[in-house]
Amino acid sequence: MMQDTSRLAIHTITTKPWPIEEAIDRYAQAGVKGISVWRDALDDRNAAKIGERIRSAGLSIVATVRGGFFPALSEGERQARIDDNKAFIHLSAELGSPLLVIVPGAHPGQSLAESRLQIRKGIEAILKEAETSGVRLAIEPLHPMYSDTRSAIVTLEQANDLCRELEHPLLGVAIDVYHLWWDPNLPREIERSGNGNKIFAFHVCDWKSPTTDFLNDRGLMGEGCIDIPGIRREVEKNGFSGFIEVEIFSTRYWSMDQQEFLGKIVEAYQKHV
Amino acid sequence: MMQDTSRLAIHTITTKPWPIEEAIDRYAQAGVKGISVWRDALDDRNAAKIGERIRSAGLSIVATVRGGFFPALSEGERQARIDDNKAFIHLSAELGSPLLVIVPGAHPGQSLAESRLQIRKGIEAILKEAETSGVRLAIEPLHPMYSDTRSAIVTLEQANDLCRELEHPLLGVAIDVYHLWWDPNLPREIERSGNGNKIFAFHVCDWKSPTTDFLNDRGLMGEGCIDIPGIRREVEKNGFSGFIEVEIFSTRYWSMDQQEFLGKIVEAYQKHV
């Protein structure tokens, strides 16, 4: 029996060609129940009104995406990033998003150790804002192939360690199968996240074999070699019962008819998640 | 002061356009002291004679590259891979190579756990041959971006664990900075490798930012963001004093004059390793 779509959410970036208003309507018509909103989707919009529109369509706002990117070579730039994250927390609250996904960041001009320190300081610097706004923060470890410019946090172990160090009820992790499927320690670390009630988000797509682009060649679930149902069982065994978010960057899919692509997403979710 | 080239070795694949005879002569003229021989470089040659030629030129044979690739969907294919590895061990002995680098392998049509099991069984199945031939085997963990088809072993921790499980004096690890630089547990695991006297090989190149191809866009040392001297310090602190092998796959460098490229390799080795 195929599962229903009551826990299916989609990231606006997945259907990038659609303006958010169209994404909202189309997702709702297709039986999708949640939406995660990328910041660019809010450009030139009133976030509060977009939030109302999402809720009126019967969709839940799962998260805003993506804050973070704390490492930078100069103190001034690092402060600018922190300020920008605070602004995004406010925007998230206006929209009505309960969660902001944090992509940690990295800079090839400095050591990973230095970037990691700056990430910790950056998160510390915005926790107060998160409290005031009531927005939770999810640290998303990225795949190690993004260690140069996108994330010095590349394993769930590191994200868990950071959560332990900063110990804050509003700070947890986002588990994305694309970034973490290769990790032999993943089951152990999912259990650790679960024990701390830190699994704030669960993202799915697939790793195509071969993958031809570092960024924009992600696959639909079932199209690649990730054991998505297996990882889903692990996160659910460890207490996660939230939305399952489909986040796909794909030049190929962005170039096709988005309504047809949406149909494929729903089908892939029902069969391969 | 720039270091001398007494510990510099190059993989034949690095200067792929050169037949091995030319590579031997050019490396020797440039002051390179070691060569690691890829299997394709021996095509249609008598390995024993190539071995003599290498030694006559004053070069040491550091390793043959690359065995492994044990996972496969059928029992017959897995046996064929094992047989092929045994043949390569013999060929290595004929050449006079003391070490065979093992790229573990993976198959997108089965789970990583299954591939890992097949890797262990494959290595077990060739250890006797390694003993008889006196050729050591170095398990090389590859970057997690190769988890689909090239290696289900993607961290030094896994390679160390496998060495502990199989516990054989001829079995150790190859540490390649390109594959492992991102790993927050790398210093700890280099120490573990060193404690068991398991650091059999050390490979260098660099991670360009951006990197545009999954396979053939590796950088010359100093051209990217890997802390090569830092990792070198770790492996030497933990007992490694062997050759430092330059292994670069690069469409860009292969298309340039190889003598000019060789000059760049020597310079990069002296300045950035």
Side-chain angles (χ1 to χ4, degrees):
Chain A
M1 201 190 70
M2 290 199 303
Q3 65 183 321
D4 65 36
T5 55
S6 60
R7 289 176 59 198
L8 170 57
I10 300 179
H11 281 232
T12 55
I13 188 89
T14 301
T15 56
K16 190 170 73 165
W18 277 340
I20 190 165
E21 294 82 1
E22 185 166 6
I24 295 165
D25 295 346
R26 304 280 198 160
Y27 292 0
Q29 283 158 21
V32 176
K33 296 299 181 188
I35 186 170
S36 289
V37 179
W38 277 55
R39 193 170 186 173
D40 65 290
L42 296 173
D43 280 351
D44 304 318
R45 269 96 168 164
N46 177 309
K49 287 198 175 149
I50 293 290
E52 278 169 33
R53 181 163 180 155
I54 292 172
R55 288 181 291 275
S56 303
L59 293 173
S60 294
I61 301 172
V62 180
T64 32
V65 192
R66 51 195 188 171
F69 289 96
F70 296 109
L73 295 183
S74 77
E75 176 62 33
E77 179 58 27
R78 288 194 294 277
Q79 188 57 51
R81 307 271 178 108
I82 287 169
D83 293 342
D84 191 53
N85 271 277
K86 289 180 182 174
F88 198 11
I89 290 173
H90 292 156
L91 191 68
S92 301
E94 263 179 64
L95 180 73
S97 168
L99 178 71
L100 173 59
V101 174
I102 300 289
V103 169
H107 197 293
Q110 66 190 17
S111 73
L112 290 169
E114 182 59 36
S115 285
R116 287 164 189 157
L117 196 65
Q118 292 174 6
I119 290 164
R120 202 181 66 193
K121 285 183 181 169
I123 293 174
E124 276 180 312
I126 64 171
L127 277 170
K128 185 78 198 160
E129 219 66 32
E131 275 177 34
T132 312
S133 302
V135 174
R136 302 201 296 174
L137 306 175
I139 303 168
E140 182 172 20
L142 297 198
H143 193 283
M145 70 186 176
Y146 300 124
S147 292
D148 55 344
T149 55
R150 287 182 175 78
S151 186
I153 306 287
V154 292
T155 60
L156 188 55
E157 181 180 17
Q158 287 177 287
N160 282 335
D161 287 349
L162 199 47
C163 284
R164 293 285 163 97
E165 284 173 41
L166 296 177
E167 198 51 55
H168 194 288
L170 293 181
L171 186 64
V173 301
I175 293 175
D176 185 318
V177 300
Y178 189 78
H179 296 304
L180 303 177
W181 70 282
W182 56 270
D183 186 353
N185 296 326
L186 188 58
R188 180 191 80 196
E189 293 301 323
I190 289 176
E191 195 179 333
R192 258 181 91 204
S193 305
N195 285 340
N197 290 314
K198 293 301 187 188
I199 308 177
F200 285 5
F202 181 52
H203 300 174
V204 297
C205 70
D206 213 337
W207 183 282
K208 289 168 56 196
S209 181
T211 291
T212 58
D213 186 90
F214 278 88
L215 271 181
N216 299 323
D217 191 30
R218 297 193 186 186
L220 260 175
M221 299 78 76
E223 201 172 33
C225 56
I226 302 177
D227 178 14
I228 303 170
I231 300 176
R232 176 182 173 174
R233 274 193 301 275
E234 296 292 326
V235 300
E236 295 189 345
K237 203 174 73 188
N238 288 286
F240 180 76
S241 59
F243 279 99
I244 294 169
E245 304 170 55
V246 177
E247 182 188 31
I248 299 173
F249 313 154
S250 166
T251 307
R252 182 174 52 116
Y253 284 123
W254 288 330
S255 72
M256 75 179 270
D257 176 86
Q258 294 299 284
Q259 185 61 31
E260 194 185 326
F261 177 37
L262 179 58
K264 283 177 182 288
I265 292 171
V266 172
E267 192 188 346
Y269 173 81
Q270 292 178 315
K271 288 189 183 163
H272 302 292
V273 174
Chain B
M1 201 191 68
M2 290 198 305
Q3 66 183 320
D4 66 35
T5 55
S6 60
R7 287 178 59 199
L8 169 58
I10 300 180
H11 281 231
T12 55
I13 189 87
T14 300
T15 56
K16 191 169 72 164
W18 277 340
I20 189 164
E21 294 81 2
E22 185 165 7
I24 294 166
D25 295 346
R26 303 280 198 160
Y27 293 0
Q29 283 158 20
V32 176
K33 296 298 182 190
I35 184 170
S36 289
V37 180
W38 276 56
R39 194 170 186 175
D40 66 290
L42 295 173
D43 281 351
D44 305 318
R45 268 98 166 163
N46 178 308
K49 288 197 175 150
I50 293 291
E52 279 168 33
R53 182 165 181 154
I54 293 172
R55 287 181 292 273
S56 303
L59 293 174
S60 295
I61 300 173
V62 180
T64 31
V65 192
R66 51 193 187 173
F69 290 97
F70 295 109
L73 295 183
S74 76
E75 176 62 32
E77 179 59 27
R78 288 194 295 277
Q79 188 56 51
R81 308 271 178 105
I82 287 169
D83 293 342
D84 191 54
N85 272 277
K86 289 180 182 174
F88 197 11
I89 290 173
H90 293 155
L91 190 70
S92 301
E94 263 178 65
L95 181 73
S97 167
L99 178 71
L100 173 59
V101 174
I102 299 289
V103 169
H107 196 294
Q110 65 190 17
S111 73
L112 290 169
E114 181 59 36
S115 286
R116 286 163 189 157
L117 196 64
Q118 293 174 6
I119 290 164
R120 201 182 67 194
K121 285 183 181 171
I123 294 174
E124 274 181 313
I126 65 171
L127 277 171
K128 186 77 197 162
E129 219 66 32
E131 276 177 34
T132 313
S133 302
V135 174
R136 302 203 295 174
L137 306 175
I139 302 168
E140 182 172 19
L142 297 198
H143 193 283
M145 71 185 175
Y146 299 123
S147 292
D148 56 344
T149 55
R150 286 181 177 78
S151 186
I153 307 287
V154 292
T155 61
L156 187 54
E157 181 181 18
Q158 288 178 286
N160 283 335
D161 288 347
L162 200 45
C163 285
R164 294 284 162 99
E165 283 173 41
L166 297 177
E167 198 52 54
H168 193 288
L170 294 181
L171 185 64
V173 302
I175 293 175
D176 185 319
V177 301
Y178 189 78
H179 296 304
L180 302 177
W181 70 282
W182 55 270
D183 187 353
N185 296 326
L186 188 57
R188 178 190 81 195
E189 293 300 322
I190 289 176
E191 196 180 333
R192 258 182 91 204
S193 305
N195 285 341
N197 290 314
K198 293 300 187 189
I199 308 177
F200 285 6
F202 181 52
H203 299 175
V204 297
C205 70
D206 214 337
W207 184 281
K208 289 169 54 197
S209 182
T211 291
T212 57
D213 186 90
F214 278 88
L215 271 182
N216 299 323
D217 191 31
R218 297 192 186 186
L220 262 176
M221 300 77 76
E223 201 173 31
C225 56
I226 301 177
D227 177 14
I228 303 171
I231 300 176
R232 176 183 174 172
R233 274 194 301 276
E234 295 291 327
V235 300
E236 296 189 343
K237 204 175 72 188
N238 288 285
F240 181 77
S241 59
F243 278 100
I244 295 170
E245 305 170 54
V246 176
E247 183 188 31
I248 299 174
F249 313 153
S250 166
T251 307
R252 183 174 51 117
Y253 285 122
W254 288 330
S255 72
M256 76 179 269
D257 177 87
Q258 294 300 285
Q259 185 61 32
E260 194 185 324
F261 177 37
L262 178 58
K264 284 177 180 288
I265 292 170
V266 172
E267 192 189 347
Y269 173 80
Q270 292 178 316
K271 288 189 184 164
H272 302 293
V273 173

